[in-house]
């Protein structure tokens, strides 16, 4: 039910792409098709770098690099600094 809602009725575009060096879209919901003016068949398989207009691709590429970069700095008290819960509930 939730998957159908996300695909057909979500009020936002939902996109997913693979993790290859030149990632391509593997999913786009109907709102994304509407916003980009593409069909599902046109969207899925398209390199994600082509999702921005030519004059916006530099910004899109910078954003994508930032998303892929590991977090190097964390705020004090960040739960991730405390260790991760294990399957038994113990901190690692």
């Amino acid at each position: 039910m939730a998957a159908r809602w996300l695909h057909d009725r979500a009020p936002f575009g939902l996109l997913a792409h693979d993790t290859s060096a030149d990632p391509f879209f593997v999913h786009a919901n109907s709102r994304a098709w509407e916003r980009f003016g593409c069909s599902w068949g046109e969207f899925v398989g398209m390199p994600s770098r082509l999702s921005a207009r030519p004059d916006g691709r530099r910004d899109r590429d910078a954003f994508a690099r930032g998303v892929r970069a590991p977090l190097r700095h964390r705020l004090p008290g960040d739960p991730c600094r405390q260790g991760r819960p294990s399957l038994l509930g113990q901190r690692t």
Side-chain angles (χ1 to χ4, degrees), residues 69-74 81:
L71 291 175
R72 291 187 176 87
H73 305 286
R74 299 221 183 249
R81 284 184 175 266

Side-chain angles (χ1 to χ4, degrees), residues 4-22:
R4 168 89 45 218
W5 181 87
L6 282 171
H7 184 75
D8 295 337
R9 296 191 305 268
F12 50 84
L14 179 65
L15 304 170
H17 60 73
D18 74 341
T19 59
S20 63
D22 187 14

Side-chain angles (χ1 to χ4, degrees), residues 22-59:
D22 187 14
F24 59 90
F25 289 112
V26 295
H27 178 77
N29 72 355
S30 60
R31 181 60 58 134
W33 313 339
E34 178 185 304
R35 300 292 290 172
F36 281 87
C38 297
S39 69
W40 185 87
E42 292 168 318
F43 223 117
V44 173
M46 176 175 64
S48 62
R49 63 184 155 74
L50 300 179
S51 64
R53 292 186 311 256
D55 63 341
R57 288 184 183 158
R58 176 180 275 169
D59 291 338

